[in-house]
């Protein structure tokens, strides 16, 4: 039922991508997202697609797993498609009633869709191959310099890691409560919008209560382990760049240069 | 009139690295009015199995029949099945949500589309059945004690007046007194109404006293299925899968080995007391 949402879920397997330093993966993801917005021609998108395909292949995460996560943005995708298709001015290709599809519109819509899909896939590759702990370790280290500006880097990283860790837990909990209420005859599917919204009360109230209970328990557990923020905290496994991480940075750099070059030549 | 499981399989996350066969070729027949203990270690598939019985989970293979009809036929009324086969989940108090105890118990029967009066009558009867005193009826369910909350949650399912009642670990996290209270209530209820009861547990002590049949699950399969006495004869096999016979059975075994003429098939403390006294008289 709710198992289809893959965002923020880790896929356990052993691959070169899984073993990369989380900082590399974070930087790569950011670069990749930027590249998606920089490129504006077919060659660039083909390049982006190839890069993504290569990373997915190397990560050994089944493609099926990633496509499943795509269902959650299907609605957004369709809206973006429709708006771009009909509302971009330019050379008219087809027109009926008050609507017209333009050449630029088609171009824009296709690019937008591809961009969204790549965006989501790119970021899910990162979350699927990196445990939340690694991810926040990486983030903390990357944002480290901001500490000079009194940014609570460690606290932000900890909050993120807790939030990420709780996504699957809360999903599981939702599934459980949903089943329990269905066993009591609750109906979450039929009826109009208002009835549907009302039917969510038996689900949301227990869910919030359990979220607060879990937060309480977690705070207590952290306190009893003498957690007191980032000050003087050392790591058991400090992040150190290895050869493969440097190579990966090199590969990403190559990709970025290629993207820019493609843009220049064809524009 | 019964539940029949025919070659039921259930595989979670099929086709991924997390693929896990929770149920493997389960064949069971559950006649009306039986009191069944479903025993198994954590992860043996017992919770998955009971969620199949009221149609919440769809088997990945095989069929389930309730009173002769396949519950996954397209025209089968699933909602009615939920009311006929009442399932009380683990930690059922986590599903409470209403502003007071009484309205929470009303939730189930209200979903059945009954009249307001009928709903309230059923809720009242259910709360009486679980032995909750009137003074708590209009309190917030969140202000009650753990044992009371659990009883309210069980009443929430009872108010739908199911023909089959399934309780998944109803005593988890309760103290011995709360545990005995709940189990005695359930046993009493069954005597009163004659409904089928399936008690899921990992504790032999809990079920030995009450049930007429024990189904032992291990790694998604039915390992033993018989009367309690017969099942506990295999206490060595049970130990191998992380379960055990009731402690009193071990005591009787030990006594026998030390030369006392006692019956080793004993499973409750009352029986043991009688047997030991008889043995000492001679």
């Amino acid at each position: 039922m709710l198992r289809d949402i893959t965002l923020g879920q880790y896929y356990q397997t052993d691959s070169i991508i899984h073993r990369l330093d989380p900082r590399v993966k974070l930087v790569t993801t950011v670069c990749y997202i930027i590249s998606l917005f920089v490129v504006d021609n077919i060659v660039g998108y083909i390049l982006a697609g190839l890069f993504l395909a290569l990373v997915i292949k190397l990560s050994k995460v089944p493609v099926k797993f990633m496509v499943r996560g795509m269902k959650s943005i299907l609605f957004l995708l369709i809206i973006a498609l429709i708006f771009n298709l009909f509302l971009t001015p330019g050379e008219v290709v087809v027109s009926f009633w008050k609507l017209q599809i333009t050449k630029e519109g088609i171009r824009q819509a296709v690019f937008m869709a591809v961009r969204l899909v790549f965006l989501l896939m790119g970021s899910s590759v990162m979350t699927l191959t990196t445990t939340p702990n690694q991810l926040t370790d990486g983030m903390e280290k990357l944002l480290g310099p901001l500490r000079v500006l009194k940014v609570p880097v460690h606290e932000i990283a900890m909050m993120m890691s807790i939030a990420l860790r709780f996504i699957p837990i809360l999903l599981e909990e939702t599934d459980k409560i949903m089943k329990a209420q269905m066993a009591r005859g609750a109906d979450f599917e039929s009826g109009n919008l208002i009835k549907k919204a009302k039917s969510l009360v038996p689900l949301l109230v227990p869910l919030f209560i359990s979220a607060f209970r879990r937060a309480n328990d977690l705070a207590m557990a952290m306190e009893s382990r003498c957690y007191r923020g980032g000050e003087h905290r050392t790591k058991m496994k400090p992040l150190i760049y290895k050869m493969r991480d440097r190579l990966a940075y090199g590969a990403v750099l190559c990709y970025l240069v290629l993207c820019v070059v493609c843009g220049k030549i064809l524009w | 009139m019964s539940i029949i499981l025919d070659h039921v399989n259930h595989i979670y996350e099929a086709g991924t690295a997390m693929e896990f066969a929770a149920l493997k070729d389960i064949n069971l027949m559950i006649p009306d009015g039986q009191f069944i203990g479903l025993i198994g270690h954590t992860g043996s598939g017992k919770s998955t199995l009971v969620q199949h019985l009221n149609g919440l989970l769809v088997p990945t293979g095989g069929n389930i029949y309730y009173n002769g009809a396949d519950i996954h036929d397209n025209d089968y009324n699933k909602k009615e099945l939920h009311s006929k086969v009442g399932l009380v989940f683990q930690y059922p108090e986590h599903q409470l949500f209403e502003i007071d105890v009484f309205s929470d118990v009303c939730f189930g029967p209200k979903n059945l589309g009954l009249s307001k009066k009928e709903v309230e009558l059923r809720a009242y009867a259910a709360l009486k059945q679980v032995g909750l005193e009137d003074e708590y009826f209009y309190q917030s369910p969140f202000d009650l004690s753990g044992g009371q909350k659990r009883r309210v949650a069980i009443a929430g399912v009872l108010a739908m007046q199911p023909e089959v009642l399934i309780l998944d670990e109803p005593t988890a996290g309760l103290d011995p007194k709360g545990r005995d209270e709940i189990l005695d209530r359930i046993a009493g209820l069954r005597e009163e109404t004659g409904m089928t009861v399936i008690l899921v547990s990992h504790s032999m002590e809990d079920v030995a006293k009450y049930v007429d049949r024990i189904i032992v699950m291990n790694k998604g399969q039915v390992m033993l299925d018989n009367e309690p006495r017969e099942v506990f004869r295999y206490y060595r096999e049970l130990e191998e899968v992380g379960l055990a016979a009731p402690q009193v059975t071990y005591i009787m075994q030990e006594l026998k080995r030390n030369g006392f003429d006692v019956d080793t098939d004993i499973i409750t403390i009352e029986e043991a007391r009688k047997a030991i006294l008889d043995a000492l008289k001679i």
Side-chain angles (χ1 to χ4, degrees), chain B residues 148-159:
Chain B
Q148 285 168 333
K149 272 190 209 169
R150 184 151 311 173
R151 276 190 270 167
V152 172
I154 294 175
V157 172
L158 281 177

Side-chain angles (χ1 to χ4, degrees), chain B residues 8 93 100 128 155 157 163 191 200 205 219 223 248 275:
Chain B
V8 170
E93 59 274 24
D100 62 56
K128 284 282 135 194
V157 172
E163 291 165 358
E191 219 127 90
V200 180
E205 320 275 341
K219 291 185 181 153
M223 185 178 124
V248 61

Side-chain angles (χ1 to χ4, degrees), chain A residues 116-240:
Chain A
L116 271 175
V117 169
F118 281 2
L119 195 85
L120 194 78
M121 273 195 158
S123 34
S124 45
V125 170
M126 180 181 70
T127 50
L128 281 166
T129 60
T130 324
T131 61
N133 274 337
Q134 286 178 324
L135 209 61
T136 40
D137 270 4
M139 196 165 300
E140 197 180 339
K141 201 92 188 234
L142 277 177
L143 297 177
L146 289 179
R147 216 171 285 157
V148 182
L149 302 172
K150 295 248 185 291
V151 179
V153 174
H154 172 82
E155 281 70 16
I156 293 174
M158 180 56 82
M159 277 195 267
M160 280 220 42
S161 100
I162 291 172
L164 280 176
R165 179 67 192 83
F166 268 63
I167 292 173
I169 292 181
L170 287 181
L171 279 178
E172 217 168 86
E173 188 89 14
T174 312
D175 203 51
K176 220 183 85 187
I177 297 170
M178 229 167 151
K179 275 189 196 154
Q181 302 298 26
M182 272 160 76
R184 292 211 282 165
D187 184 355
F188 295 106
E189 267 128 37
S190 58
N192 57 26
L193 208 62
I194 295 169
K195 210 178 151 209
K196 261 188 187 168
K198 264 191 182 162
S199 76
L200 285 181
V201 174
L203 176 64
L204 290 179
V205 173
L207 192 62
F208 271 103
I209 291 170
S210 107
F212 279 117
R213 191 181 52 236
R214 278 175 196 282
N216 243 331
D217 290 352
L218 183 68
M220 198 79 90
M222 284 166 87
E223 247 175 23
S224 56
R225 286 169 175 76
C226 300
Y227 177 80
R228 59 215 313 264
E231 297 282 302
H232 310 299
R233 222 174 139 76
T234 54
K235 300 250 182 253
M236 190 161 89
K237 290 178 188 160
L239 294 173
I240 297 161

Side-chain angles (χ1 to χ4, degrees), chain B:
Chain B
M1 293 306 212
S2 57
I3 305 175
I4 294 169
L5 285 87
D6 181 28
H7 297 289
V8 170
N9 281 286
H10 194 94
I11 301 166
Y12 282 117
E13 316 255 342
T16 70
M18 281 93 86
E19 182 172 306
F20 174 69
L23 295 178
K24 290 175 221 159
D25 197 37
I26 304 280
N27 296 291
L28 283 175
M29 147 96 173
I30 297 165
D32 269 359
Q34 234 178 15
F35 197 161
I36 297 173
L38 184 61
I39 310 268
H41 205 254
T42 313
S44 60
K46 50 193 190 329
S47 290
T48 307
L49 178 64
V50 293
Q51 286 178 38
H52 278 85
L53 297 182
N54 77 341
L56 278 176
L57 286 179
V58 183
T60 48
N63 295 305
I64 299 163
Y65 302 92
Y66 184 69
N67 291 344
D70 187 333
I71 64 169
H72 292 295
D73 269 351
N74 286 331
D75 53 353
Y76 194 85
N77 187 347
K78 273 265 181 77
K79 225 173 150 180
E80 198 186 306
L81 182 72
H82 292 330
S83 72
K84 295 271 182 263
V85 182
L87 175 56
V88 180
F89 274 78
Q90 256 175 62
Y91 296 102
E93 59 274 24
H94 292 177
Q95 78 200 25
L96 301 174
F97 69 97
E98 276 284 9
I99 45 167
D100 62 56
V101 167
F102 194 74
S103 2
D104 205 283
V105 178
C106 284
F107 181 68
K110 210 157 72 189
N111 285 329
L112 298 180
L114 302 166
S115 70
K116 191 163 181 280
K117 194 176 166 196
E118 175 70 17
V119 167
E120 284 174 0
L121 280 172
R122 280 190 181 200
Y124 185 79
L127 280 166
K128 284 282 135 194
Q129 279 174 327
V130 296
L132 200 80
E133 292 82 14
D134 292 22
E135 59 194 276
Y136 298 113
F137 282 18
Y138 294 100
Q139 282 189 18
S140 162
F142 305 108
D143 291 341
L144 304 180
S145 75
Q148 285 168 333
K149 272 190 209 169
R150 184 151 311 173
R151 276 190 270 167
V152 172
I154 294 175
V157 172
L158 281 177
M160 299 174 78
Q161 299 189 348
E163 291 165 358
V164 180
L165 180 67
I166 306 169
L167 300 118
D168 194 350
E169 305 260 5
T171 60
L174 292 184
D175 55 27
K177 187 166 162 271
R179 183 190 66 201
D180 290 346
E181 246 173 50
I182 293 249
L183 290 177
D184 283 339
R185 284 275 168 201
I186 294 163
L189 246 169
R190 180 189 162 251
E191 219 127 90
E192 224 173 85
T193 58
M195 63 177 150
T196 315
V197 176
I198 302 175
L199 195 63
V200 180
S201 178
H202 59 252
S203 158
M204 291 289 184
E205 320 275 341
D206 275 7
V207 297
K209 202 163 126 197
Y210 302 100
V211 304
D212 1 279
R213 173 182 171 191
I214 289 182
I215 299 169
V216 181
M217 299 271 300
N218 183 40
K219 291 185 181 153
Q221 283 167 317
V222 175
M223 185 178 124
L224 294 166
D225 176 5
N226 216 324
E227 284 173 32
R229 259 163 242 287
E230 298 294 321
V231 168
F232 293 139
R233 274 201 193 130
Y234 296 90
Y235 65 96
R236 283 196 189 86
E237 285 83 350
L238 288 172
E239 278 167 13
E240 269 165 37
V241 299
L243 297 166
Q247 280 175 356
V248 61
T249 308
Y250 288 98
I251 294 173
M252 300 317 275
Q253 300 273 2
E254 202 62 30
L255 284 172
K256 180 102 181 177
R257 215 166 299 142
N258 284 296
F260 290 92
D261 180 29
V262 289
D263 184 4
T264 50
D265 280 355
I266 278 163
I267 53 173
T268 67
I269 293 170
E270 288 75 42
E271 284 173 347
R273 181 170 167 268
K274 198 168 161 287
I276 292 171
L277 285 175
D278 284 350
L280 287 175
K281 249 176 229 162
I282 307 161

